[in-house]
Amino acid sequence: VQSPEYVSISLASAISLRFAPGRFYRDAAPTCANLLLAYDQPCLANCSYCGLAREREVQPDDRSFIRVPWPVVPSGDVIERLARHGTGRICVSMVTHARAYRDTLALVRSLRETDTAPVSVLVAPNLLDRSRLEELRDAGAGMIGVGLDAASARVFERRRGRSVRGPLSWANYWHVMETAVAVFGRGNVNCHLVLGLGETDREMVETVVRLREAGIAAYLFCFYPEAGSRMARARRPSLVRWRRLQLVKHLLEARQLALEDIAFDPAGRVASLPASAALEAAIASGLPFMTDGCPGEDGAMACNRPFGSYRPGEAFRDYPFQPEAADLEQVRRQLRLTGLLRP
Ligand code: SF4
């Protein structure tokens, strides 16, 4: 039972495609179908926060990814149900496996034949070069996502590189992201970054700016410990830190805040920001606090990944829908603005 005949789908996608029973807290249904290639062997990489890592301390059957089970279902059924139920976007996630590139290409082609929704590929950069990226584009993929995850070379090395006997390299990830921009165009490549892997705020902010200059969208994820991974007992970032970084990232990308305007303390934490009308408007819009994800055909965010980094009933880390007035009141409190803004 493995790819290409079968794929894993996120539990949220499984529920909305009726492969699994369930309902969504606050009706936060997914508007993107997230598919992951499935193989009998674990991923060949060894990232310390990931549930698919090679040296994870649990039985392979218990593997989970982003804390929840990813049911394995026949690829043909998924394609047929997606065409029947519709969705805003479809994402194919590669893993580091010898067959992953070939299987991804075949899956993208079959998905595009039904023309259900635009397709993103969340790639495994160590399996790619320019000609493969061109082949994925020609097969019908419109966007490329890269899970860089670590916000600096230092954190990458510690969590994904030689320190954990992993095969991945920071330089190669950047090379593939920049090549993907050349092939797919500015605005069609995104980079997943996880807050809470041991980076400083300054490292995260500097990487967001570097990505912006390269024409790559930064998508922020909030670390949540995965059972059985090396980081199973690590703490999540505090809500105040998470909210402030969401806000800063949004303002930097909208060019409503310059790197030089952010004051950092000696530990590299954001210490203060200039108060501005743009900052107030951004908070009131709720946009900085919504999930960062690839858009649907209408240009609005489609990949909303409900409950990707928090459980139903806990504070939403990223809102999979437009936050309501009561949500925004909470967000304002979580930001602790009086300690943050300077006149
Ligand atoms: S944001 Fe969603 S659709 Fe886009 S690459 Fe990431 S997981 Fe895939």
Side-chain angles (χ1 to χ4, degrees):
V1 181
Q2 48 181 343
S3 293
E5 290 81 19
Y6 289 82
V7 282
S8 289
I9 56 175
S10 66
L11 186 60
S13 301
I15 292 170
S16 61
L17 292 177
R18 324 276 198 274
F19 284 110
R23 291 176 52 203
F24 297 100
Y25 173 71
R26 284 188 65 181
D27 289 334
T31 43
C32 175
N34 296 86
L35 319 182
L36 174 71
L37 296 184
Y39 298 104
D40 292 341
Q41 306 87 351
C43 182
L44 290 172
N46 208 24
C47 308
S48 54
Y49 50 91
C50 182
L52 298 177
R54 190 179 68 223
E55 294 175 1
R56 197 182 172 207
E57 297 159 354
V58 294
Q59 294 306 310
D61 285 350
D62 290 341
R63 271 190 314 243
S64 65
F65 181 57
I66 330 187
R67 292 184 299 105
V68 290
W70 280 57
V72 179
V73 291
S75 311
D77 288 4
V78 175
I79 293 169
E80 185 255 316
R81 289 190 197 199
L82 279 171
R84 183 145 39 101
H85 297 291
T87 185
R89 178 162 285 273
I90 303 168
C91 186
V92 180
S93 279
M94 293 170 79
V95 287
T96 296
H97 183 279
R99 283 216 322 258
Y101 171 67
R102 201 184 64 196
D103 292 345
T104 300
L105 190 65
L107 193 55
V108 170
R109 286 203 176 110
S110 331
L111 287 163
R112 287 307 298 152
E113 272 166 23
T114 60
D115 201 23
T116 303
V119 174
S120 295
V121 180
L122 181 54
V123 298
N126 51 334
L127 304 182
L128 291 182
D129 56 17
R130 186 175 181 122
S131 68
R132 287 185 164 190
L133 284 163
E134 287 170 349
E135 212 171 10
L136 284 171
R137 177 198 61 198
D138 297 343
M143 289 196 153
I144 292 294
V146 175
L148 181 68
D149 298 349
S152 68
R154 177 183 70 81
V155 176
F156 192 99
E157 161 58 28
R158 176 169 167 221
R159 302 297 190 193
R160 316 192 71 184
R162 280 191 303 275
S163 309
V164 290
R165 296 191 286 148
L168 309 178
S169 111
W170 168 261
N172 179 246
Y173 268 60
W174 277 93
H175 174 68
V176 168
M177 284 195 284
E178 284 157 1
T179 309
V181 173
V183 172
F184 286 79
R186 291 176 75 88
N188 292 322
V189 179
N190 69 72
C191 173
H192 295 196
L193 290 170
V194 180
L195 188 79
L197 297 183
E199 70 292 321
T200 64
D201 292 355
R202 184 193 279 276
E203 286 174 319
M204 179 59 82
V205 163
E206 285 173 354
T207 293
V208 167
V209 171
R210 180 174 171 190
L211 289 166
R212 182 190 73 189
E213 297 311 309
I216 301 165
Y219 289 170
L220 267 194
F221 287 62
C222 190
F223 169 71
Y224 195 110
E226 188 85 59
S229 69
R230 281 174 192 246
M231 287 186 71
R233 278 170 291 281
R235 288 169 62 125
R236 288 200 280 175
S238 65
L239 260 174
V240 58
R241 179 177 185 225
W242 167 248
R243 288 284 176 241
R244 288 177 173 187
L245 268 292
Q246 284 184 302
L247 180 61
V248 166
K249 190 215 77 140
H250 178 91
L251 294 171
L252 285 169
E253 287 193 321
R255 296 187 184 273
Q256 291 168 332
L257 177 70
L259 189 52
E260 308 75 66
D261 291 332
I262 306 171
F264 293 96
D265 72 8
R269 276 185 297 251
V270 172
S272 73
L273 303 175
S276 70
L279 181 143
E280 279 302 325
I283 296 174
S285 76
L287 281 176
F289 316 108
M290 290 173 67
T291 309
D292 286 325
C294 292
E297 247 148 19
D298 60 359
M301 175 270 283
C303 182
N304 60 345
R305 303 184 302 277
F307 314 110
S309 57
Y310 51 92
R311 293 178 195 280
E314 283 180 355
F316 281 85
R317 290 281 166 153
D318 41 19
Y319 287 86
F321 45 67
Q322 175 71 44
E324 294 169 7
D327 297 317
L328 289 178
E329 265 173 45
Q330 270 189 2
V331 164
R332 283 188 152 274
R333 279 197 297 276
Q334 291 158 350
L335 279 166
R336 294 197 210 145
L337 287 170
T338 37
L340 179 68
L341 299 184
R342 58 175 195 269

